[in-house]
Amino acid sequence: MTTPLWRIALTAPARAADALSAALEPYVSALTAMEDAPGGTWSIEGLSEGEPERPAIVAALAIAAATVGTPPPDTVIEPLPEVDWLALNRQSFPPIREGRVWVRGSHVSEKRPAASIELVVDAARAFGSGSHATTALCLRALQDELRRSRPRRILDLGCGSGILAMAAAKLLPTARVVAVDLDPVSVATAAENARLNRTATRIRTGTSRGWRSRLVQGAAPYDLVLANILAGPLCAMAPDLARGLAAGGRAILSGLMTDQEARVIAAHRAQGLRLMRRYRRDGWSALVLG
């Protein structure tokens, strides 16, 4: 019998988003924070395996809101209906073909395309299974970058189910990849996917809030950074990226809408990074900076 999942959701003004996210994080197994509109409110949502500590959560959020001078947020804490996660994953995760990379769920019996590199991924409960548009854009940008250079040290920041890390490891067997996420469920899923796809010996996985972990900092500087997350965190981590890139290194950033490009580019330009290339699909963007 599976542990029931609970959802904790709230909306925060932009200036309170970081404080409220940090206050909620100890009480949940997975956390997402998404900007509703540039400069506007943020939607924050966490998942808890088992009934959460409602009074403690409400109190922690109220204290965090007070520190930034905002009222306590209206918070929804509710159980999620029982879900057949495997069936849901199969329905929502059709195969992805981008260049040489073929990503499929284990339920797909379709034959691997000729001359392709196959990844078998069942994302299960992990966050970061990804918008197919942003995943595909990153896979395209990654393959284009490998025509230009042969990076030895690669970071997948916000790895989700590990697709980008495994693609990098299979496309470039001499590289060493660090794959991290702030969601422990995603990290466990990525590690298991790496094992199943025979890339585990070249990928080191771990939990990290951005660049803060010893694993991420210890393996720097990186020749290539992959970050398919959100515009807000990308902007906030621009100084870390500039410090963590090796000389001549490149970063592939996605998880942003086309109307968020200027904001992300400006944040990184302020750190001395230039836009080298951009990719767009279905309203989503991927930026290559260096």
Side-chain angles (χ1 to χ4, degrees):
M1 184 174 179
T2 60
T3 304
L5 286 178
W6 286 66
R7 171 178 174 264
I8 303 96
L10 58 123
T11 300
R15 64 194 176 99
D18 286 344
L20 292 174
S21 295
L24 180 59
E25 186 175 8
Y27 300 97
V28 297
S29 301
L31 179 72
T32 59
M34 181 173 293
E35 190 178 34
D36 299 320
T41 59
W42 283 66
S43 294
I44 300 170
E45 183 170 314
L47 290 181
S48 172
E49 298 192 33
E51 185 171 359
E53 303 172 49
R54 187 183 299 263
I57 290 172
V58 171
L61 292 173
I63 292 169
T67 63
V68 292
T70 62
D74 291 330
T75 305
V76 175
I77 301 177
E78 60 185 5
L80 291 177
E82 287 294 324
V83 174
D84 184 340
W85 291 97
L86 181 57
L88 181 63
N89 185 55
R90 290 175 175 178
Q91 183 180 23
S92 62
F93 192 23
I96 300 172
R97 172 72 188 273
E98 192 66 37
R100 293 178 58 205
V101 181
W102 165 252
V103 186
R104 68 171 179 87
S106 61
H107 63 286
V108 175
S109 58
E110 188 176 339
K111 188 176 180 181
R112 175 172 64 91
S116 67
I117 290 172
E118 182 180 61
L119 297 176
V120 180
V121 176
D122 288 323
R125 288 187 176 185
F127 279 13
S129 304
S131 159
H132 286 191
T134 60
T135 301
L137 289 174
C138 289
L139 290 172
R140 170 57 60 187
L142 169 63
Q143 291 172 83
D144 287 349
E145 277 303 302
L146 295 189
R147 296 187 185 97
R148 183 193 70 88
S149 66
R150 309 298 285 178
R152 294 184 300 110
R153 293 162 297 182
I154 299 173
L155 171 64
D156 183 0
L157 187 66
C159 63
S161 54
I163 291 174
L164 299 181
M166 292 187 296
K170 286 214 169 190
L171 288 165
L172 197 63
T174 58
R176 291 297 177 265
V177 184
V178 171
V180 297
D181 201 290
L182 59 79
D183 170 28
V185 178
S186 291
V187 173
T189 301
E192 177 64 7
N193 285 336
R195 185 187 68 79
L196 293 173
N197 285 275
R198 299 182 180 180
T199 57
T201 59
R202 300 193 300 279
I203 299 175
R204 297 173 65 194
T205 58
T207 303
S208 182
R209 190 169 183 85
W211 292 74
R212 297 180 189 177
S213 73
R214 185 175 299 177
L215 171 60
V216 172
Q217 294 178 8
Y222 298 96
D223 305 305
L224 179 64
V225 173
L226 305 160
N228 184 14
I229 44 178
L230 295 170
L234 288 174
C235 292
M237 291 188 288
D240 294 320
L241 175 61
R243 287 190 294 268
L245 269 184
R250 295 281 177 90
I252 298 171
L253 309 182
S254 194
L256 60 142
M257 307 294 290
T258 55
D259 61 2
Q260 296 173 316
E261 287 180 358
R263 176 186 170 200
V264 175
I265 292 168
H268 290 83
R269 185 182 294 125
Q271 302 300 321
L273 297 172
R274 296 181 300 126
L275 177 68
M276 314 303 293
R277 192 177 299 111
R278 81 178 83 207
Y279 300 79
R280 291 175 172 172
R281 185 176 301 176
D282 299 333
W284 295 93
S285 297
L287 307 174
V288 181
L289 302 169

